[in-house]
């Protein structure tokens, strides 16, 4: 068994961080509304509602991200002989046309680059996984397995 692709390790904590940031911003809005700190001038009235909307958006963003991260298995792609186990389903290498990737456009401060890995099947189907660590290398490994000559070792 050869692990080809794994889920980004810090993605769960990153999603929880977005949710906690949203809770903090929402709490600032509650504090501002309760104390009336922004009601001293006409220009600032209603700012606390911005905190509600922005905090709620961060909470929803983090929840969606957490759902997508937890939907992705820890081991995304695993090679077992001539079969690639991708997200828990088995695909023969002969049924896969190619692997494509798309990097996530985020700042990578604490981890490896990650993104979406997509398998294009010869029957026209597509299978993809989000938050795949080192997504470029994983796609190159899968494409390398597909172009490898199965009779090269028999000489």
């Amino acid at each position: 068994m050869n692990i080809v692709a794994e889920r980004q390790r810090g993605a769960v904590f990153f999603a929880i961080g977005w949710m906690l940031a949203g809770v903090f911003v929402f709490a600032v809005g509650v504090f501002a509304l309760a104390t009336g700190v922004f009601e001293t001038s006409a220009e600032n009235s209603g700012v606390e509602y911005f905190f509600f909307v922005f905090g709620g958006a961060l909470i929803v963003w983090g929840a969606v991200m957490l759902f997508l991260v937890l939907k992705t298995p820890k081991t995304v792609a695993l090679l077992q002989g001539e079969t690639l186990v991708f997200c828990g389903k088995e695909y023969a290498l002969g049924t896969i046309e190619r692997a494509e990737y798309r990097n996530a456009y985020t700042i990578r401060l604490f981890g490896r680059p990650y993104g979406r890995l997509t398998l294009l099947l010869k029957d026209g189907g597509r299978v993809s996984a989000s938050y795949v660590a080192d997504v470029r290398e994983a796609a190159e490994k899968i494409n390398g397995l597909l172009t490898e000559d199965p009779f090269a070792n028999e000489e």
Side-chain angles (χ1 to χ4, degrees), residues 3-150:
I3 295 175
V4 179
E6 294 179 313
R7 180 178 73 192
Q8 177 70 11
R9 288 191 184 133
V12 173
F13 299 112
F14 193 60
I16 292 172
W18 277 113
M19 289 174 52
L20 291 176
V23 167
F24 176 76
V25 171
F26 196 83
V28 167
V30 169
F31 174 76
L33 186 64
T35 61
V37 71
F38 291 118
E39 294 177 2
T40 57
S41 67
E43 295 92 26
N44 292 335
S45 65
V47 172
E48 57 272 354
Y49 299 110
F50 168 76
F51 286 111
F52 289 144
V53 171
F54 189 63
L58 287 177
I59 292 169
V60 169
W61 177 271
V64 168
M65 184 178 174
L66 185 64
F67 172 76
L68 292 174
V69 167
L70 294 178
K71 189 175 115 174
T72 304
K74 287 184 180 181
T75 302
V76 176
L78 181 69
L79 182 66
Q80 294 178 339
E82 292 295 316
T83 304
L84 185 71
V85 178
F86 189 81
C87 292
K89 295 184 180 179
E90 295 183 0
Y91 300 95
L93 290 178
T95 62
I96 302 171
E97 185 176 336
R98 69 178 183 274
E100 293 180 347
Y101 72 96
R102 189 181 80 213
N103 283 326
Y105 296 105
T106 59
I107 299 172
R108 292 179 285 278
L109 295 175
F110 303 111
R112 303 179 293 184
Y114 65 93
R116 175 181 291 271
L117 181 63
T118 303
L119 294 182
L120 300 173
L121 304 176
K122 290 185 179 177
D123 64 357
R126 299 171 75 97
V127 184
S128 64
S130 300
Y131 301 102
V132 177
D134 294 328
V135 67
R136 179 175 163 216
E137 287 84 10
E140 288 174 354
K141 282 181 190 177
I142 293 172
N143 287 331
L145 290 170
L146 298 175
T147 58
E148 190 175 274
D149 185 17

